[in-house]
Amino acid sequence: MKYFTYLLLLSFSLPLLANDPVNFNENEIVNIGIELSTPKLISKSLTKQLPAEVTIPNKSQRVISTPQDGVIELMLVAEGDNVVTGQALAQINSPQLLSNQNDYLQTLTRLSQSKQQMLRDKSLFEEGIIAERRYRQSQSSYQQDKTEVAMYKKSLELAGMDKQSIQQLGKTRTLNSHLTIAAVSDGVVLKQFATAGQRLTAADPLYKIAQLSSLWIEIHVPLNIANKINNGDQVVVCNKDIAGKVIAIGREVHAADQGVLVRAEVNQKTEQLTPGEFVQACFVQQGGNNVQFEIPRSALFRNEGETAVFVKTKDGFISHTVTVISEPGDKVIIGGNLSSTSQLVIKGTATVKAAWLGMGGE
C-alpha cells in the first residue's frame, strides 16, 4: 500500500498539460492495476435496449364462431392445444339446422319435379304439340329451382356441414340437428369463450386460434431513434438471439411516453417468444462509411464536456476524444481516430485521468 501511494504521489507531483502523455513504467502499470485492451472493429452497432411487446399479426388470428343457434354439447379442445385444419373443435345441437335441412330437401324435390316437367315439355315442343312459350316457362322454373338448391346448399355449408354430409342428407333425407364445428386452419388455441351446456346464438365466439409461425414485436421508440429507422432495418431481441425486420413505422407520437410505434416481424425461433410477453429489443445500425469500435464502458471518461479514452503510445498514455454512438449494455459503440491495434486503458482509467490532469492524491 505504501509503495502504491508513493507511485501515485510521484506521478502527480507535476501538473500535465492536456496534450501531454502520462508516463508509467511497466512495474507501475502492474502495481497500479492498469489493464489494456484493443477496440473491436465493427460494421454495425446496436441502439440502447427498448421495451417491446410480442403480439400476433392480425392475419394470423381467427375467431371460431357458432354458425347456428344452439346448445353446446361438447368442447373438444382447450386453451393451449394445437389444432390442424379439419380437426373437430366442438359439437352443438341446433334446431335451426333442422329447418335449414328441411328447406334444402324440399327444394331438391321441387328441382326434381321441375326438371322432369322441363324435359317433358321439351319433347312435346320438338314434336310440335305445345307452343315454345310453354317450354320456355318450364325451363325458367327449372333454372329457378336449381338456383334455390344451390342457395340452400351454401347455407348448410355456412352452418358447418361439409359437402359429404350434405350429399348424404340428399340421399338418405334424414334430418340431424347435431353439428360439428371444425378448424379451418392450423394453429394454437389462445382462448376459449364458451363451455358445454351453454346456449349460443349465431356468430357467438367459441375459440380464438392463431398461427404463431410469425410474430410481431411492437416497440415504442424515442423520436431521436425513430427518425433514423427505415423499413427493412434489423431488430434483435436481447438475450434471446432472435432477429426480425421492421415492417411499419408509426406516424403518431404517443402522449404517455412521447414514443413512436415501430413494428418488426419475426419469422424464426418464434417458439422462444410468447404473445403478450414484454422483451427488450435493439435496432441494428449500420456503420456506413464511419469507422466504429466496440469497447468496455470502463474505458471512457469525461473531461470538460467531452468523452475520451486513453491510448498507450511509445511516449505514454494520451487522451483521444471519441463519439459515443450507442450504449448496449456494458459495451459502448464509439467512433473516433483509433485503429483496431490501439492499446486502450480499460481498467484504472480514473488513476490515469488523475495523473493526466496533474491532480495529487489525497
Side-chain angles (χ1 to χ4, degrees), residues 200-273:
L200 301 177
T201 58
D204 283 346
L206 289 174
Y207 294 104
K208 182 179 181 180
I209 296 176
Q211 294 178 321
L212 304 182
S213 57
S214 176
L215 292 174
W216 284 347
I217 299 177
E218 296 188 336
I219 315 160
H220 276 207
V221 182
L223 275 174
N224 63 325
I225 298 178
N227 292 334
K228 301 176 184 178
I229 296 172
N230 298 299
N231 284 332
D233 285 357
Q234 190 176 25
V235 177
V236 296
V237 179
C238 307
N239 303 322
K240 288 197 176 183
D241 190 28
I242 298 174
K245 289 188 176 180
V246 174
I247 59 172
I249 301 172
R251 298 295 299 166
E252 180 182 7
V253 176
H254 294 259
D257 56 11
Q258 287 296 292
V260 174
L261 176 66
V262 176
R263 181 179 298 117
E265 186 173 34
V266 176
N267 295 314
Q268 296 181 346
K269 301 182 180 180
T270 54
E271 68 280 357
Q272 299 181 28
L273 298 172

Side-chain angles (χ1 to χ4, degrees), residues 21-45:
V22 182
N23 288 296
F24 295 107
N25 61 42
E26 294 301 323
N27 289 332
E28 291 173 338
I29 291 175
V30 172
N31 285 281
I32 294 174
I34 297 174
E35 291 185 11
L36 304 174
S37 179
T38 57
K40 179 182 178 182
L41 181 65
I42 59 174
S43 59
K44 57 186 178 182
S45 62

Side-chain angles (χ1 to χ4, degrees), residues 71-85:
V71 177
I72 299 177
E73 293 183 328
L74 289 173
M75 298 291 283
L76 301 174
V77 296
E79 182 176 339
D81 289 346
N82 290 295
V83 298
V84 297
T85 303

Side-chain angles (χ1 to χ4, degrees), residues 83-96:
V83 298
V84 297
T85 303
Q87 180 177 342
L89 302 178
Q91 291 182 357
I92 66 172
N93 190 346
S94 173
Q96 184 181 353

Side-chain angles (χ1 to χ4, degrees), residues 71-317:
V71 177
I72 299 177
E73 293 183 328
L74 289 173
M75 298 291 283
L76 301 174
V77 296
E79 182 176 339
D81 289 346
N82 290 295
V83 298
V84 297
T85 303
Q87 180 177 342
L89 302 178
Q91 291 182 357
I92 66 172
N93 190 346
S94 173
Q96 184 181 353
L97 182 62
L98 293 177
S99 177
N100 290 348
Q101 291 174 350
N102 183 61
D103 291 340
Y104 174 68
L105 292 178
Q106 287 184 0
T107 309
L108 274 180
T109 301
R110 289 201 302 272
L111 177 64
S112 177
Q113 293 173 349
S114 61
K115 182 178 181 180
Q116 292 178 4
Q117 182 66 41
M118 180 197 68
L119 293 175
R120 184 166 49 252
D121 288 349
K122 179 181 180 183
S123 177
L124 293 175
F125 167 67
E126 290 174 348
E127 292 176 5
I129 299 175
I130 62 174
E132 181 180 0
R133 183 167 61 88
R134 179 176 169 182
Y135 166 60
R136 297 303 179 192
Q137 288 177 342
S138 61
Q139 189 179 43
S140 176
S141 297
Y142 168 71
Q143 291 296 335
Q144 183 177 351
D145 290 339
K146 188 175 180 181
T147 300
E148 287 189 6
V149 167
M151 180 185 69
Y152 282 115
K153 181 179 180 181
K154 189 64 178 178
S155 69
L156 291 177
E157 291 178 356
L158 293 175
M161 292 186 65
D162 56 36
K163 293 181 179 180
Q164 184 177 358
S165 299
I166 296 173
Q167 186 177 10
Q168 187 70 15
L169 172 65
K171 290 180 179 179
T172 63
R173 293 184 173 268
T174 302
L175 304 180
N176 185 0
S177 64
H178 299 283
L179 179 64
T180 298
I181 300 173
V184 294
S185 63
D186 299 348
V188 178
V189 178
L190 295 183
K191 192 171 183 179
Q192 176 179 321
F193 297 100
T195 58
Q198 185 175 348
R199 180 176 295 277
L200 301 177
T201 58
D204 283 346
L206 289 174
Y207 294 104
K208 182 179 181 180
I209 296 176
Q211 294 178 321
L212 304 182
S213 57
S214 176
L215 292 174
W216 284 347
I217 299 177
E218 296 188 336
I219 315 160
H220 276 207
V221 182
L223 275 174
N224 63 325
I225 298 178
N227 292 334
K228 301 176 184 178
I229 296 172
N230 298 299
N231 284 332
D233 285 357
Q234 190 176 25
V235 177
V236 296
V237 179
C238 307
N239 303 322
K240 288 197 176 183
D241 190 28
I242 298 174
K245 289 188 176 180
V246 174
I247 59 172
I249 301 172
R251 298 295 299 166
E252 180 182 7
V253 176
H254 294 259
D257 56 11
Q258 287 296 292
V260 174
L261 176 66
V262 176
R263 181 179 298 117
E265 186 173 34
V266 176
N267 295 314
Q268 296 181 346
K269 301 182 180 180
T270 54
E271 68 280 357
Q272 299 181 28
L273 298 172
T274 304
E277 155 185 32
F278 285 93
V279 297
Q280 296 294 318
C282 299
F283 293 95
V284 178
Q285 296 180 327
Q286 300 297 328
N289 296 324
N290 298 320
V291 179
Q292 297 181 0
F293 299 94
E294 182 183 82
I295 65 172
R297 186 184 296 273
S298 59
L300 295 178
F301 70 92
R302 298 279 297 176
N303 183 60
E304 296 182 352
E306 293 186 338
T307 304
V309 296
F310 285 113
V311 180
K312 186 177 184 296
T313 68
K314 63 180 181 178
D315 298 320
F317 295 99

